[in-house]
Structure formats: C-alpha cells, structure tokens
Amino acid sequence: MTERVTVTGPRRRRPPARRRAVTAEIDAQTQLGEVYMRALLRAQLRLSLAVAGVVLGLLATLPLLFAVAPRISEIEPAGIPLPWLILGGLIYPALVAAAWFYVRAAERVERDFGDMVNRR
C-alpha cells in the first residue's frame, strides 16, 4: 500500500478588502452613494404622499358627506351648525396632529438612515 502525501504551498491570503464608509460613498457621489440617497428620498416621498393623501382624503370627504347627508347640516350643537363646527374648529387639530405625525415619522426615517450610514 502506498502512503498518501499532501502537497501544499504557502498560504496565499488576499489582502483584506478595504471597505469605504457609506458617508464616503455619499460624499464622493459614487453609484452606491446615489443608491443610498435615492432610498432616503424615496422613503421621505412615500411618507409625505401617505400623510398628504390621508389629510386630503379627509378634507375631500367632508363636503361629500354634507352633500350626501344634508340632515347633518341641521344638527346644531351649542347653537353652531355642525358643518361650521367641523370646518371651523375640528379640522385644525386634525391638521396639527397630521403635521406632528409627519415630523416624528420623518425624523425616524432620517435617524434610521443615519444609523445605517454610520454602521460599519
């Protein structure tokens, strides 16, 4: 029986790949940096369109509601017609709430992007 011999050469290791920081990719405006920036802009656009869609949807359905159900106009809590009360008073807190939600969500998107960029 013949003995097996393993023939090996010196280990050839590739030098470790130098990873560029994501911020360097963005600053250098490379294709990868552009991908990151497009992702951020897409997330911000998606958020803004969602909030704007909800607010505009709410505002657009009110006149439709008043036209479809005219009896709503006859309701007068505290002597003020309900459409006036809704359009003159209740819409503004809803707009402030939508703006507050948008700012919080936009900050979260930017914070997540910053965390991703600063991760190594």
Side-chain angles (χ1 to χ4, degrees):
M1 185 168 181
T2 61
E3 185 178 330
R4 289 188 159 195
V5 177
T6 304
V7 178
T8 61
R11 288 190 177 246
R12 294 183 184 166
R13 291 184 52 173
R14 291 178 29 198
R18 290 184 53 200
R19 288 182 51 195
R20 288 178 68 172
V22 175
T23 53
E25 296 285 345
I26 293 171
D27 290 341
Q29 296 181 351
T30 63
Q31 286 182 330
L32 181 59
E34 288 179 17
V35 168
Y36 281 116
M37 290 307 298
R38 272 197 307 268
L40 172 63
L41 293 176
R42 248 192 327 265
Q44 290 175 335
L45 178 64
R46 190 173 29 251
L47 173 65
S48 64
L49 290 176
V51 172
V54 169
V55 169
L56 291 176
L58 174 69
L59 291 176
T61 58
L62 286 176
L64 183 64
L65 175 69
F66 298 144
V68 170
R71 299 203 62 163
I72 291 177
S73 300
E74 297 172 6
I75 301 172
E76 293 186 4
I80 302 170
L82 188 60
W84 281 82
L85 187 63
I86 292 173
L87 294 174
L90 298 178
I91 287 296
Y92 295 106
L95 291 176
V96 169
W100 177 82
F101 171 78
Y102 175 76
V103 168
R104 299 278 299 187
E107 287 174 348
R108 186 182 63 239
V109 165
E110 290 176 3
R111 187 175 46 250
D112 291 346
F113 180 76
D115 290 345
M116 179 191 65
V117 165
N118 292 328
R119 185 176 19 153
R120 289 190 178 226

